Amino acid sequence: MTYLFILLAYFIGAIPSSVWFGKSFYNIDIREHGSGNAGATNTIRILGKRIGFTVLFIDILKAWFATTVLSELAGNQSIEYMLALGLVAVLGHIFPIYVGFRGGKGIASLLGVIIAIHPLASLFSVIVFLICLIISRFVSLSSIISACSFPLLLIFHFKNENNSLLIFSFMVAILVIFTHKKNIERLFKKEESRVNLPKKIFRRKSKNRRN
């Protein structure tokens, strides 16, 4: 029965919301446009903020659901089992069976797992992401730095001593770097696309510099 829930976690994580929304409302495959990624960032660029942020919410929610609700239904809420469910859901997002195993990079889904396991660490990781995004305007670079900060936060700030969680945190960093290989290449070649942030942010930054 325990393995049945792990399989269910995969099928929930594999729900390709960006691909389904693109085909349902615009008759396009999101993976054939923009960066070619089936994640929220590319969805925002191609399909707009409304659908893009809906995809972001779904990608976070499905991994959170797999980690918390499925573990409760299975009657096993040990940290190891919850992490296993969450990781399988993330792998489902990256390799979704519904659309030929071509999914997203798993950033939002990883956030859903971290929210379920360690809400405070997830909050700090989001703050790191936002700071990096405001400074660099690279979603990929911000995601990598945020993921790499996760194990450091657990070790040095939260003084975490749970070996399973620490191993998972390093797996998160490695997985994010692995799924962003092409982005890293484009960053070195100075070909990576920047996101357009609200102009108010940059006005405030320029005013602060003058003051």
Side-chain angles (χ1 to χ4, degrees):
M1 195 69 175
T2 298
Y3 296 105
L4 178 63
F5 284 100
I6 289 178
L7 186 62
L8 186 57
Y10 169 80
F11 284 110
I12 292 173
I15 294 172
S17 55
S18 62
V19 177
W20 285 351
F21 280 137
K23 290 184 176 180
S24 299
F25 296 108
Y26 294 91
N27 197 30
I28 65 171
D29 188 336
I30 191 72
R31 298 169 298 177
E32 305 301 327
H33 299 268
S35 66
N37 180 43
T41 302
N42 196 39
T43 305
I44 291 171
R45 288 195 184 110
I46 306 302
L47 304 183
K49 293 180 180 178
R50 183 177 297 180
I51 292 181
F53 281 109
T54 302
V55 168
L56 176 65
F57 175 75
I58 292 173
D59 288 349
I60 294 172
L61 179 63
K62 62 187 184 183
W64 175 88
F65 182 91
T67 307
T68 56
V69 178
L70 290 187
S71 63
E72 186 173 351
L73 291 174
N76 185 351
Q77 291 181 289
S78 66
I79 187 95
E80 291 79 13
Y81 187 64
M82 292 177 72
L83 289 173
L85 289 171
L87 184 58
V88 168
V90 172
L91 292 175
H93 174 82
I94 298 172
F95 306 107
I97 191 173
Y98 308 111
V99 288
F101 300 98
R102 286 178 56 209
K105 295 177 181 175
I107 299 300
S109 294
L110 281 170
L111 177 59
V113 178
I114 298 171
I115 290 172
I117 298 296
H118 203 308
L120 270 179
S122 69
L123 176 61
F124 276 72
S125 296
V126 169
I127 291 172
V128 171
F129 172 85
L130 292 174
I131 292 173
C132 293
L133 184 63
I134 291 171
I135 294 172
S136 70
R137 289 193 292 145
F138 289 122
V139 173
S140 57
L141 180 62
S142 303
S143 300
I144 293 168
I145 293 175
S146 178
C148 291
S149 73
F150 178 45
L152 298 178
L153 285 167
L154 289 179
I155 295 170
F156 297 108
H157 184 74
F158 294 105
K159 308 297 182 183
N160 180 79
E161 295 181 355
N162 187 294
N163 290 331
S164 298
L165 184 55
L166 286 177
I167 292 171
F168 173 77
S169 69
F170 282 104
M171 288 177 63
V172 166
I174 293 169
L175 182 62
V176 170
I177 292 172
F178 176 77
T179 57
H180 284 77
K181 287 189 300 181
K182 292 183 179 179
N183 300 87
I184 293 171
E185 290 176 5
R186 289 196 293 267
L187 283 167
F188 278 111
K189 293 178 181 178
K190 298 183 179 179
E191 297 174 353
E192 183 74 341
S193 300
R194 296 176 186 265
V195 295
N196 294 319
L197 296 176
K199 294 181 179 178
K200 290 181 180 180
I201 294 176
F202 298 103
R203 286 175 185 170
R204 287 175 185 172
K205 285 175 68 179
S206 60
K207 284 182 181 179
N208 290 335
R209 287 174 183 174
R210 290 175 186 174
N211 294 335

